[in-house]
Amino acid sequence: MKQPRAWQRMLSGRRLDLLDPTPVDIEIEDIAHGLAFVARWNGQTKGDFAYSVAEHSLLVTEIFARQQPKAPVKWQLAALLHDAPEYVIGDMISPVKAAVGPGYGALDDRLTAAIHLRFGLPAQIPVTIKRQIKRADRLSAWLEAVQIAGFTVEEADKFFGKQDPELTRELSIRLRPPVMVRNDFTKKYHDLMGTL
């Protein structure tokens, strides 16, 4: 019986094996492009453009830098890349991830490790840093829920935790064309790499 194809051709020309990803087959331009076209919240957001995973990643990086101003730049890079596997596996909302089961997590972990190694990060981010990035991620999700996904503040508090009111007032969700977000994501990557 013929094995199903488990690789995807990227715009860079790379062929990424999803079951056995290698760092040499990963390019930042492919990640930026893919994430700029992947909608968060299954596209169920207000506005004329989908709120992309790339835009979310930029916001998480900004929040992380505000919450952890003394963190080394490499951890800002880790924040920028925290959802990078979604450039090939898409953004599944939490209820779908739960329904898919542990297979999704294993696939995400393999891709994350390859991406981290490709960009000079440890395959596994230290638990403390991972928690700090997750904290920024939850604030971003709270803002998205309230500002563009139709949640009440009470619902967002219930699902994402109560957030710092000062930060929630200072930050706002931007909806922009994918090409602008892709370019900003790539620029942020190069800015961070330039300071490492």
Side-chain angles (χ1 to χ4, degrees):
M1 184 158 185
K2 186 178 175 183
Q3 291 285 74
R5 178 172 65 91
W7 57 267
Q8 180 175 341
R9 175 80 60 199
M10 299 295 153
L11 289 178
S12 65
R14 299 284 190 190
R15 191 170 90 165
L16 182 65
D17 184 335
L18 299 179
L19 300 179
D20 187 22
T22 60
V24 297
D25 291 323
I26 296 167
E27 299 293 343
I28 196 64
E29 292 80 9
D30 292 332
I31 293 172
H33 182 83
L35 295 182
F37 285 89
V38 173
R40 281 185 52 85
W41 303 93
N42 279 348
Q44 298 301 304
T45 54
K46 300 171 187 172
D48 294 330
F49 296 102
Y51 186 71
S52 72
V53 175
E55 192 80 78
H56 163 78
S57 298
L58 288 165
L59 181 57
V60 169
T61 305
E62 179 183 348
I63 294 168
F64 176 80
R66 286 177 182 219
Q67 292 176 334
Q68 308 298 327
K70 295 181 181 175
V73 172
K74 70 179 178 179
W75 301 137
Q76 289 183 46
L77 178 61
L80 182 68
L81 298 173
H82 81 282
D83 279 339
E86 295 177 9
Y87 87 109
V88 288
I89 59 176
D91 179 39
M92 285 194 211
I93 59 173
S94 296
V96 175
K97 287 178 186 175
V100 170
Y104 177 86
L107 176 60
D108 186 82
D109 290 345
R110 283 193 302 272
L111 285 164
T112 297
I115 290 164
H116 285 173
L117 292 174
R118 169 65 176 90
F119 300 113
L121 296 168
Q124 298 264 327
I125 299 298
V127 173
T128 304
I129 303 302
K130 201 169 186 175
R131 282 190 192 125
Q132 292 169 348
I133 293 170
K134 187 63 181 173
R135 185 171 158 230
D137 188 38
R138 290 176 70 78
L139 174 52
S140 179
W142 188 97
L143 291 166
E144 295 162 26
V146 170
Q147 292 182 18
I148 60 172
F151 283 54
T152 65
V153 169
E154 293 75 23
E155 288 173 323
D157 286 349
K158 178 181 174 184
F159 291 109
F160 307 109
K162 287 190 180 240
Q163 302 297 325
D164 178 349
E166 186 176 326
L167 280 177
T168 60
R169 279 192 302 272
E170 290 178 2
L171 298 166
S172 61
I173 300 301
R174 295 185 295 177
L175 299 174
R176 304 181 294 157
V179 69
M180 290 177 69
V181 180
R182 178 186 66 201
N183 292 345
D184 282 355
F185 185 97
T186 305
K187 182 182 182 316
K188 184 65 174 178
Y189 162 80
H190 287 295
D191 289 349
L192 292 171
M193 291 301 284
T195 59
L196 281 177

